[in-house]
Amino acid sequence: MTKHIDLLGVAFIAYGALELLGVGLVGLIGVGLGGGFGYLGVSMGDPELAVVGGLYGGIFIVAAAFELVFAIPKVLVGTALRRRTPWARIGGLVLGCMALMNIPLGTLLGVFAIVVLVDKDVAAEFTAPETP
């Protein structure tokens, strides 16, 4: 099961990296649209268009920040799974269950995370060693 844990860690890191790429794209689109509409509104003397530009930019930035909140833990848990950090198993189960809603890649990752991390041998591998 050691290979499965490592593969799951890499999968979490890759999935988090894809989400971080999405964060960057949403942020760039939001700044581009908001800045573009705002510039047009100011240059044409239309204050409503400038406000719309600001709203677009703000909404896209909030959406990017919201996605960032979900992307960073996936990368952190993936790294911790590969290092066999004791808390990573529970974090992987939680993020795996949350990923089930994202069809199709999240569903695959979630099912694989649950199948791997519920195994007794895997649970024993994540227990902290007792100090004598």
Side-chain angles (χ1 to χ4, degrees):
M1 283 305 249
T2 301
K3 290 182 181 178
H4 291 105
I5 298 169
D6 287 335
L7 180 63
L8 182 62
V10 169
F12 267 115
I13 292 169
Y15 194 65
L18 281 174
E19 286 187 355
L20 287 173
L21 180 67
V23 166
L25 288 175
V26 167
L28 285 175
I29 290 171
V31 169
L33 280 176
F37 283 144
Y39 177 74
L40 281 175
V42 169
S43 66
M44 292 173 41
D46 187 5
E48 291 175 358
L49 190 56
V51 170
V52 167
L55 285 175
Y56 270 146
I59 289 171
F60 275 83
I61 295 300
V62 168
F66 184 74
E67 184 65 29
L68 188 66
V69 169
F70 289 101
I72 291 175
K74 288 182 178 82
V75 175
L76 294 176
V77 166
T79 305
L81 281 171
R82 292 184 50 92
R83 292 182 183 167
R84 307 298 191 272
T85 309
W87 60 265
R89 181 175 166 266
I90 301 301
L93 283 170
V94 170
L95 290 177
C97 289
M98 289 173 59
L100 287 171
M101 296 180 279
N102 299 330
I103 297 170
L105 294 178
T107 305
L108 290 172
L109 177 65
V111 169
F112 185 58
I114 292 169
V115 167
V116 169
L117 295 175
V118 170
D119 189 69
K120 288 184 278 186
D121 297 332
V122 171
E125 197 165 333
F126 280 97
T127 56
E130 295 181 21
T131 55

